[in-house]
Amino acid sequence: MLNWKGVFPAITTKFSENDQLDLKALHANIEIQIKAGINGVILGGSLGEASTLTDCEKETLSKSTVEKVDGKIPVILTVAEQSTKKAIQVVTSANKFGIKGLMVLPPMRYKADDRETVVFFKEIANATDLPIMVYNNPIDYKIFVNEDMFGELEECPNIQAVKESSRDITFITKMINRFGHRFKILCGVDPLALESLAIGADGWVAGLVCAFPYETVAIYQLVKQGRIKEALKIYRWFSPLLELDIHPKLVQYIKLAEVATGLGTEYVRAPRLPLIGEERQRVLKVIEDSLAIRPTLPRLEKIPM
């Protein structure tokens, strides 16, 4: 079992100027995340530039992160493969690296129908004992894992959670009404996080947390303590930054924010390129304007998880 509650950064993959993994920068960021009170870290997601990583690099990231966290938090690996066969190869090797959970995307490139998608998730679940979070993102991946499909996935005990990124906030209530707490629900859209947590989401798979870990954790904890007014004050300040998470260039935008807060580098892997010109100045203005009025965070009580 994995406790799918709290804040789970979808961590950016740090690269050096010569396009190699920058493990020193990665570890420095993760250290701050742990100090801020995050509850787990997710490697190799969309924000982690998964599609550009080699199998060897994913293994290196997994092993080095597991070693760095030293059991303090679970390390979750993203499974985003072209075929069921390759996905199963990834999940069966993840145990060797000390990975504690998996975030599984639906089939990539091919738009599977409902039956194919359910079979895909079931075959992956049957190939491992690791806890699984289904990544439900029909906006970007064109496949919506609906309530009836979760009804079929319910028979797989290790499918335990959903990263809910449909942007239809009513889906959270529909899932809770139908399944109770069988599936933990984690908001996967930064600008909908407070709303999702307030109506029952268990956690937040966050993007801007990479640059602003303390603010992200504060919002989660305040909402769960019922201190909505205090959470809203931070959230409204955070809102222009959170919008950077839902742009096609979210990787470049969030990495630029990491540089501004001293928590990362700007290097991305081609075909992505660093921002230039008016676009760079526009994003920098959002970041700098927010930093100029960065709020003082209230004292937080530790939430029993």
Side-chain angles (χ1 to χ4, degrees):
M1 294 294 293
L2 194 155
N3 192 5
W4 298 100
K5 291 184 178 181
V7 175
F8 291 74
I11 209 79
T12 56
T13 300
K14 310 298 188 290
F15 297 109
S16 64
E17 189 174 7
N18 62 353
D19 199 35
Q20 301 299 307
L21 293 179
D22 187 344
L23 296 179
K24 182 177 179 181
L26 175 71
H27 293 169
N29 187 291
I30 290 174
E31 186 174 338
I32 296 296
Q33 301 290 335
I34 292 173
K35 287 181 180 178
I38 56 101
N39 303 94
V41 64
I42 300 173
L43 301 176
S46 306
L47 187 53
E49 298 176 72
S51 62
T52 71
L53 298 174
T54 67
D55 290 347
C56 183
E57 287 174 328
K58 290 177 184 177
E59 180 176 342
T60 298
L61 283 172
S62 298
K63 290 179 176 177
S64 67
T65 304
V66 167
E67 182 178 351
K68 174 63 182 176
V69 306
D70 193 26
K72 296 182 182 74
I73 55 170
V75 178
I76 297 154
L77 181 64
T78 303
V79 180
E81 306 301 334
Q82 313 294 344
S83 69
T84 305
K85 181 179 180 179
K86 181 60 186 295
I88 289 173
Q89 289 175 353
V90 172
V91 303
T92 53
S93 63
N95 264 327
K96 303 174 187 176
F97 311 146
I99 294 295
K100 297 300 183 185
L102 304 166
M103 181 173 75
V104 182
L105 277 68
M108 302 296 288
R109 294 188 181 173
Y110 171 63
K111 186 181 181 301
D113 65 21
D114 291 2
R115 178 177 65 92
E116 291 170 323
T117 302
V118 167
V119 170
F120 175 79
F121 282 123
K122 282 185 175 181
E123 290 191 0
I124 292 172
N126 291 335
T128 181
D129 292 328
L130 288 174
I132 289 172
M133 174 168 61
V134 170
Y135 188 0
N136 193 21
N137 187 346
I139 303 297
D140 292 326
Y141 302 118
K142 312 308 176 187
I143 294 175
F144 177 48
V145 188
N146 60 44
E147 297 158 77
D148 289 339
M149 294 163 74
F150 276 105
E152 296 186 63
L153 295 175
E154 194 174 12
E155 69 184 50
C156 300
N158 57 333
I159 297 182
Q160 300 174 358
V162 52
K163 177 184 176 184
E164 171 44 35
S165 299
S166 72
R167 305 190 194 179
D168 176 6
I169 201 164
T170 67
F171 189 65
I172 295 173
T173 299
K174 291 173 183 175
M175 286 287 288
I176 295 171
N177 283 347
R178 178 159 175 177
F179 300 107
H181 298 289
R182 166 61 181 84
F183 298 105
K184 299 300 182 186
I185 301 171
L186 289 83
C187 176
V189 182
D190 275 4
L192 293 177
L194 187 146
E195 296 89 338
S196 299
L197 293 168
I199 65 168
D202 301 282
W204 180 1
V205 177
L208 268 298
V209 67
C210 295
F212 296 92
Y214 287 96
E215 288 85 354
T216 306
V217 170
I219 290 169
Y220 172 80
Q221 292 188 352
L222 288 168
V223 172
K224 292 305 178 182
Q225 292 171 20
R227 297 162 65 182
I228 302 297
K229 187 175 180 180
E230 292 171 275
L232 272 171
K233 184 177 179 180
I234 303 166
Y235 190 61
R236 286 170 177 157
W237 162 83
F238 211 178
S239 180
L241 292 162
L242 296 178
E243 292 288 333
L244 302 178
D245 181 61
I246 55 172
H247 190 277
K249 291 187 181 179
L250 78 162
V251 175
Q252 291 96 316
Y253 289 5
I254 291 175
K255 283 192 169 184
L256 196 58
E258 286 182 307
V259 172
T261 57
L263 297 183
T265 68
E266 198 177 344
Y267 302 117
V268 291
R269 176 164 283 178
R272 288 182 178 88
L273 296 173
L275 303 177
I276 60 172
E278 185 277 332
E279 183 180 27
R280 180 184 178 85
Q281 292 308 310
R282 174 171 51 79
V283 175
L284 272 175
K285 187 175 188 309
V286 172
I287 297 166
E288 291 169 355
D289 286 354
S290 298
L291 286 173
I293 55 171
R294 196 172 188 174
T296 300
L297 300 180
R299 184 181 298 275
L300 300 170
E301 303 169 12
K302 187 172 179 60
I303 300 175
M305 303 298 291

